[in-house]
């Protein structure tokens, strides 16, 4: 127990195991084995005997060692990075407009044409145009879903394809 305590104080960061070995002559070893067998604890009756001294003190140290300020700092930075990335992705995905179709109707969407995660485009404005009434160039413009910077640009595109 003392060797384990000293190893932990010296900076042991993981499980510490102490192995002691003694080289003895054969006759003395047989006597020691016979003596040890007579005094051996009943492991089935009390498995806690084999935990050794200081075991209850080691568990809080292990928990404290795992849950240090470095771990808290790392986890905090990880959460900030993930949330910042999701915020940037959301701002990008909701930052544009495009003209597309909703069934047979031509509509202006807010967002990007391709959905990512839960960032789906939403209908910003219904135009009142029907795809069947458009000429070939107008249908092509609606089907291509050009990304535009503003609602005004999207409205201009709708005005240009209107029959």
């Amino acid at each position: 127990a003392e060797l384990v305590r000293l190893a932990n104080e010296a900076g042991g960061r993981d499980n510490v195991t102490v192995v002691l070995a003694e080289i003895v002559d054969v006759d003395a070893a047989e006597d020691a084995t016979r003596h040890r067998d007579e005094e051996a604890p009943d492991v089935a009756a009390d498995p806690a005997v084999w935990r050794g001294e200081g075991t209850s003190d080691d568990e809080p140290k292990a928990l404290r060692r795992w849950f240090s300020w470095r771990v808290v700092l790392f986890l905090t930075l990880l959460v900030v990075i993930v949330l910042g990335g999701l915020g940037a992705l959301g701002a990008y995905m909701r930052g544009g407009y495009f003209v597309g179709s909703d069934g047979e109707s031509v509509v202006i969407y807010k967002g990007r044409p391709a959905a990512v995660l839960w960032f789906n485009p939403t209908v910003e404005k219904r135009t009142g145009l029907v795809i069947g009434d458009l000429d070939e160039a107008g249908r092509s413009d609606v089907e291509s879903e050009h990304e535009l910077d503003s609602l005004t640009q999207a409205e201009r595109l709708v005005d240009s394809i209107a029959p």
Side-chain angles (χ1 to χ4, degrees):
E2 180 66 13
L3 290 174
V4 171
R5 187 187 65 74
L6 290 171
N8 283 329
E9 286 179 1
R13 293 223 175 250
D14 204 346
N15 294 335
V16 175
T17 303
V18 176
V19 177
L20 298 175
E22 181 179 4
I23 300 174
V24 296
D25 64 11
V26 176
D27 293 333
E30 287 176 1
D31 290 341
T33 302
R34 198 173 17 254
H35 181 67
R36 188 187 72 226
D37 289 344
E38 292 169 1
E39 295 180 4
D42 184 7
V43 175
D46 188 9
V49 169
W50 291 101
R51 291 192 318 167
E53 290 183 34
T55 302
S56 61
D57 293 338
D58 292 343
E59 292 171 11
K61 286 181 187 174
L63 180 61
R64 278 183 296 207
R65 207 173 288 132
W66 181 86
F67 195 73
S68 67
W69 64 271
R70 290 180 189 141
V71 173
V72 171
L73 179 63
F74 173 77
L75 292 175
T76 302
L77 288 174
L78 183 64
V79 167
V80 167
I81 289 170
V82 168
L83 292 178
L86 287 174
L89 179 64
Y92 171 75
M93 292 303 295
R94 300 291 299 153
Y97 295 87
F98 68 95
V99 177
S101 63
D102 183 16
E104 288 296 315
S105 301
V106 176
V107 295
I108 298 174
Y109 286 98
K110 180 170 180 59
R112 305 288 174 180
V116 175
L117 297 175
W118 58 85
F119 300 109
N120 298 317
T122 56
V123 174
E124 181 72 16
K125 183 176 180 182
R126 298 205 174 270
T127 63
L129 296 176
V130 178
I131 292 179
D133 295 340
L134 302 177
D135 61 11
E136 190 64 35
R139 271 188 240 129
S140 175
D141 283 339
V142 170
E143 289 170 0
S144 64
E145 298 178 335
H146 297 293
E147 293 184 27
L148 304 163
D149 294 329
S150 69
L151 180 60
T152 305
Q153 288 179 342
E155 289 170 337
R156 283 188 199 139
L157 178 62
V158 169
D159 291 340
S160 72
I161 64 173

